[in-house]
Amino acid sequence: MSDRKEFRSPFFRPTANQMAAVTSEKTSTFSFLPSQKTLKGILAGGITGGLEICITFPTEYVKTQLQLDERSGVEKRFKGPINCVQVTVREYGVLGLYRGLSVLLYGSIPKSAVRFGAFEELKKRNLSEDGTLSSSKKLLCGLGAGVSEAILVVTPMETVKVKFIHDQTSANPKFRGFFHGVREIVRQQGFKGTYQGLTPTILKQGSNQAIRFFVVESLKDLYRGDDMKKSIPTPVVGCFGAIAGAASVFGNTPIDVIKTRMQGLEASKYKNTLDCAVQIMKHEGPRAFYKGTVPRLSRVCLDVAITFMIYEQFMQLFNKN
């Protein structure tokens, strides 16, 4: 019979070549080393992050300013996104909309590299036999990518960025540049000063990427139908990214507001993440949790669309070589 098990003597000992083959098979299955596709994802992600932030930073600046404008009982400094742009340009010129860019640029390259590298690695380890990801694993891989970037890159980068932007609204700005600012923050608050808001950042980035990768990967599968090798036009990928970006904004802007407050110069007045949420609700009401939604929506939709389009192009380029 064809399914009969091969008889093997109890005294059988595998040769060195047979042992090497078994070891190689196990290593390829359980290797902790990043795959070639993961390395390509890291490289493509890094390039994508640098290009994307240079295009979309002004909207990030406006969003952060509106979220920090929390004064109660007195007239707010900004009446809305457009007024924020007008005031900034009037006081600092057009380049004022790019204050803090260096901080975000230094962090965006490794952030995007970690995000896409982690996703490719997790995706590789969770693919089914037919080369697809189940809905739950799409969410899981996106969540893992978000948590990875939050811990390794985003929290210190965002903390410094928010402090830089907040510092510019004070009467006497004290940060003269990126490295001077980081040095002052570490000197005054220690290394933990760059990790303020870690919990809400993990919640924000984890939910962000879980939603975004889930939506994009699901839309890609829907577009391809039964042909998983079907090429997807770049503009279509951009549309998928914009939809994913909008979904993430409406899904976690409250977390983003809390994160921004926890990383501002006045973060010491909050005991923890929960206390920050309670104080916002108590003093400013539920609408405060959606401050900056409009500029964030425009930025994130553009951001995610551009990111996935650029990333897709670089991955196609790398895979040809």
Side-chain angles (χ1 to χ4, degrees):
M1 295 177 64
S2 60
D3 60 346
R4 183 191 301 176
K5 293 184 179 179
E6 179 184 354
F7 172 76
R8 179 170 291 180
S9 167
F11 300 103
F12 170 79
R13 293 292 183 272
T15 65
N17 288 339
Q18 290 172 325
M19 286 292 290
V22 172
T23 302
S24 176
E25 182 179 351
K26 289 184 177 180
T27 300
S28 63
T29 304
F30 301 105
S31 175
F32 289 99
L33 295 176
S35 64
Q36 186 178 28
K37 189 169 185 179
T38 299
L39 294 175
K40 290 178 180 178
I42 293 173
L43 179 59
I47 298 172
T48 298
L51 292 175
E52 172 270 322
I53 198 59
C54 289
I55 297 171
T56 64
F57 183 79
T59 54
E60 171 68 15
Y61 178 91
V62 172
K63 181 218 66 167
T64 303
Q65 287 283 35
L66 291 175
Q67 290 180 345
L68 291 172
D69 192 18
E70 59 179 292
R71 293 172 289 182
S72 58
V74 295
E75 185 179 356
K76 298 287 191 296
R77 184 164 188 251
F78 305 117
K79 297 177 181 178
I82 296 177
N83 178 251
C84 180
V85 172
Q86 292 172 337
V87 171
T88 301
V89 172
R90 183 170 65 247
E91 294 181 356
Y92 303 107
V94 176
L95 292 180
L97 294 171
Y98 282 88
R99 288 188 167 219
L101 172 63
S102 60
V103 182
L104 216 56
L105 188 59
Y106 293 143
S108 288
I109 294 175
K111 176 183 75 171
S112 190
V114 169
R115 175 195 306 163
F116 284 101
F119 181 78
E120 292 291 352
E121 184 65 22
L122 291 170
K123 181 179 178 180
K124 179 196 74 173
R125 294 175 183 273
N126 287 280
L127 285 174
S128 59
E129 292 183 359
D130 61 357
T132 61
L133 278 177
S134 66
S135 296
S136 60
K137 288 185 177 179
K138 288 173 186 174
L139 282 170
L140 181 64
C141 292
L143 179 64
V147 172
S148 297
E149 69 177 12
I151 295 173
L152 297 176
V153 183
V154 178
T155 299
M157 178 195 74
E158 284 284 300
T159 301
V160 174
K161 180 211 73 175
V162 171
K163 290 183 185 296
F164 262 55
I165 293 178
H166 205 172
D167 180 60
Q168 304 307 314
T169 66
S170 62
N172 299 301
K174 58 184 179 181
F175 298 147
R176 297 194 297 269
F178 174 75
F179 294 106
H180 175 262
V182 173
R183 187 169 64 249
E184 286 298 302
I185 292 170
V186 173
R187 184 178 66 82
Q188 295 175 15
Q189 304 174 19
F191 183 71
K192 69 177 183 180
T194 63
Y195 265 85
Q196 290 178 322
L198 176 61
T199 299
T201 301
I202 289 177
L203 292 174
K204 177 201 170 186
Q205 295 305 122
S207 59
N208 255 349
Q209 303 314 326
I211 293 171
R212 292 174 188 176
F213 278 110
F214 172 79
V215 172
V216 169
E217 291 296 315
S218 296
L219 290 174
K220 281 183 177 180
D221 288 346
L222 186 63
Y223 183 90
R224 291 190 181 108
D226 296 328
D227 183 7
M228 296 307 296
K229 294 184 178 180
K230 183 178 180 181
S231 177
I232 304 177
T234 300
V236 174
V237 175
C239 289
F240 292 167
I243 295 171
S248 68
V249 168
F250 289 112
N252 74 356
T253 288
I255 297 175
D256 187 47
V257 172
I258 294 170
K259 176 198 71 68
T260 300
R261 296 289 181 86
M262 289 292 291
Q263 292 173 328
L265 296 177
E266 299 177 3
S268 59
K269 70 181 183 181
Y270 304 119
K271 296 177 183 178
N272 49 46
T273 301
L274 179 60
D275 180 61
C276 179
V278 170
Q279 288 201 41
I280 292 174
M281 175 64 77
K282 180 180 178 180
H283 299 295
E284 302 172 63
R287 291 184 62 183
F289 287 107
Y290 279 88
K291 279 188 173 183
T293 297
V294 174
R296 187 183 180 220
L297 185 64
S298 61
R299 181 192 72 82
V300 169
C301 288
L302 179 63
D303 172 357
V304 180
I306 291 173
T307 296
F308 276 101
M309 283 193 296
I310 296 176
Y311 179 74
E312 196 77 12
Q313 288 296 304
F314 275 109
M315 285 301 286
Q316 289 179 10
L317 178 63
F318 293 156
N319 287 331
K320 288 180 181 179
N321 297 330

